[in-house]
Amino acid sequence: MNGSGEDSLTVFCGIDWAERHPDVAVVDDSGTLLAKARITDDSGGFNKLLDLLAEHGGSPDAPIPVAIETSHGLLVAALRTGSRKVFATNPLAAARYRDRHGVSRKKSDPGDALVLANILRTDMHAHRPLPADSELAQAITVLARAQQDAVWNRQQVANQVRSLLREYYPAALHAFQVKDGGPTRADARVILAMAPTPAKAAKLTLVQLRAGLKRSGRTRAVDSEAERLRGIFRSEHARQLPAVEDAFGHQLLALLKQLDAACQAADDLAEAVDTAFHQHADSEIVLSFPGLGPLLGARVLAEIGDDRTRFTDARALKAYAGSAPITRASGKKRFVGRRFVKNNRLTNAGFLWVFAALQASPGANAHYRRRREHGDWHAAAQRNLLNRFPGQLHHCLQTRQLFDKQHAFAPLLSPQPG
């Protein structure tokens, strides 16, 4: 509620975000358009927006709620300061609301801003504001997502390297594909840079191979690894024509530069994530769960945040993670299946969490095996196990207690009668 003397009104703001000129609309509780404006995406534009909101009753104690079609960017960050509620509205949902006011399918940026303002006026109770996460939690979100993107980018470049080696360099595939990490390993990248073609690889001596392995940071079994590589590089394989082989070698060197940068970026971001995550008060609770280490735990924390009012109960968190099934019923038909609308990053982290927990937790493993015995497919059994963990994590974070395997999987861990 925003008051202005005797004529107290409830006022709502909608912003149609654009890279250079967002459009703003302000309406009252009857739907009357009080003001509209086009601002710039800089400090001057934000000050103009604040002045506009203040003119219509907005104050630090009672800020006007804002609906906008994005949850990122400097404008959103500036709006989130203080106690203002900012609603990041899905553009698809906004398009559906637009049809309520006309069927001509006309569209304009000022009109979209008005639609967003009216969404808050009529259905604010059905939408959730952006969570009030702490500054550290928001920093962890940025770092964890960046590190995950860097890992995906590293894998993409590594796949390009593998595809290229398959075209002309089968010896390198045989030499490094058996190792964990393949071409992303430091020793693989160093040796391939030394010998980007089969012809150059066949000329490498044991001394050169040992030097390359040591330069990559390898300290164990250097001699035996050098001998293994020399044997592979000097064995018979199909070859391209010399000029074609050299051309492929130049392409490989260019890709290796990209792969080196991608590997370094992933490592640097992983170190930054680890440092920030351990500074957070929730890290001890998150790490008490089986299968969660610093990186994966940071990804989970990054997606759920530390605003304890964000999820009303454990079921809400399970739905957000995509682990809770969804029911579709119409007439005599009823279908229970997996969710498609979810936080995909949290779902991705969740399945990695389950995979690791199966090795680290006897209770989790017993739960998975029981689901398989009852007829679940592998993915369904994993999803069922994943559906337990968010609820347990929600409880532990709310009550500030560590994970207790005896309580989490008590029936499965109790001794069976002989």
Side-chain angles (χ1 to χ4, degrees):
M1 301 295 291
N2 302 280
S4 57
E6 296 179 355
D7 300 325
S8 180
L9 294 174
T10 302
V11 181
F12 309 92
C13 175
I15 301 177
D16 181 68
W17 184 86
E19 186 174 347
R20 294 183 179 178
H21 46 73
D23 284 274
V24 180
V26 179
V27 301
D28 62 19
D29 54 358
S30 65
T32 302
L33 178 64
L34 301 178
K36 64 178 182 178
R38 172 166 287 185
I39 63 174
T40 54
D41 190 26
D42 54 20
S43 59
F46 179 65
N47 289 331
K48 180 180 179 181
L49 172 61
L50 290 183
D51 291 341
L52 182 66
L53 295 178
E55 288 176 10
H56 294 88
S59 67
D61 295 329
I64 294 174
V66 174
I68 187 170
E69 289 183 328
T70 180
S71 60
H72 309 290
L74 290 174
L75 179 59
V76 174
L79 286 169
R80 292 179 69 182
T81 57
S83 58
R84 185 188 309 280
K85 290 184 177 181
V86 178
F87 296 79
T89 306
N90 189 302
L92 183 61
R96 296 294 181 267
Y97 273 94
R98 191 186 305 124
D99 294 338
R100 296 173 60 179
H101 302 280
V103 295
S104 65
R105 305 189 70 83
K106 65 179 182 179
K107 182 185 183 304
S108 67
D109 293 341
D112 286 348
L114 181 60
V115 168
L116 290 168
N118 279 312
I119 288 176
L120 293 187
R121 180 179 66 86
T122 59
D123 293 320
M124 187 165 70
H125 63 280
H127 295 265
R128 291 189 301 176
L130 292 176
D133 291 329
S134 67
E135 181 179 352
L136 179 57
Q138 293 182 52
I140 292 173
T141 300
V142 172
L143 291 171
R145 289 180 176 179
Q147 199 274 335
Q148 188 177 36
D149 290 342
V151 170
W152 289 339
N153 180 57
R154 181 182 65 188
Q155 190 59 49
Q156 185 179 33
V157 179
N159 290 341
Q160 293 178 31
V161 171
R162 288 194 188 94
S163 180
L164 180 62
L165 293 176
R166 194 172 291 112
E167 292 288 329
Y168 81 106
Y169 203 164
L173 278 178
H174 179 58
F176 299 116
Q177 203 157 16
V178 297
K179 298 286 188 179
D180 292 337
T184 62
R185 292 171 56 92
D187 54 353
R189 288 182 278 123
V190 169
I191 298 300
L192 287 174
M194 291 171 56
T197 64
K200 293 181 179 179
K203 296 178 182 179
L204 289 176
T205 64
L206 284 176
V207 174
Q208 290 172 321
L209 286 169
R210 282 195 292 266
L213 291 172
K214 291 179 179 178
R215 190 164 63 252
S216 71
R218 188 184 182 101
T219 57
R220 295 183 178 181
V222 173
D223 293 340
S224 61
E225 179 66 7
E227 292 177 1
R228 186 185 74 87
L229 291 175
R230 187 180 67 165
I232 294 174
F233 290 151
R234 294 188 178 185
S235 60
E236 291 293 329
H237 292 92
R239 298 273 294 271
Q240 293 276 4
L241 295 173
V244 177
E245 188 175 274
D246 287 341
F248 275 122
H250 286 293
Q251 185 180 358
L252 177 62
L253 288 175
L255 277 177
L256 287 175
K257 291 179 181 179
Q258 298 179 43
L259 186 57
D260 286 338
C263 291
Q264 187 63 51
D267 292 342
D268 291 346
L269 285 167
E271 184 177 349
V273 169
D274 184 84
T275 300
F277 176 65
H278 280 97
Q279 293 174 1
H280 199 282
D282 290 346
S283 62
E284 185 180 4
I285 295 175
V286 173
L287 291 176
S288 68
F289 279 76
L292 285 183
L295 279 182
L296 194 54
R299 290 184 188 178
V300 172
L301 180 61
E303 301 309 321
I304 67 175
D306 59 3
D307 181 0
R308 296 284 84 91
T309 64
R310 181 178 187 178
F311 302 102
T312 55
D313 52 27
R315 290 182 300 176
L317 178 54
K318 291 178 181 181
Y320 186 66
S323 61
I326 190 170
T327 302
R328 297 180 180 89
S330 177
K332 296 181 180 180
K333 294 183 179 180
R334 185 174 183 272
F335 171 76
V336 179
R338 62 189 180 94
R339 289 178 179 266
F340 291 93
V341 179
K342 58 189 183 299
N343 183 314
N344 290 324
R345 287 183 182 270
L346 183 55
T347 302
N348 177 272
F351 278 105
L352 293 175
W353 180 4
V354 166
F355 182 79
L358 289 175
Q359 308 296 322
S361 169
N365 190 276
H367 179 88
Y368 167 82
R369 286 188 285 104
R370 187 181 67 173
R371 296 302 307 180
R372 291 301 306 271
E373 291 168 0
H374 280 70
D376 281 1
W377 292 90
H378 169 70
Q382 280 192 321
R383 193 177 301 111
N384 189 279
L385 176 58
L386 174 59
N387 199 35
R388 293 178 65 99
F389 281 139
Q392 295 167 353
L393 178 59
H394 181 270
H395 172 75
C396 289
L397 289 173
Q398 292 288 351
T399 58
R400 309 307 300 171
Q401 59 180 302
L402 302 180
F403 176 82
D404 186 341
K405 64 180 181 181
Q406 293 299 330
H407 284 84
F409 299 103
L412 297 172
L413 294 176
S414 57
Q416 301 296 321

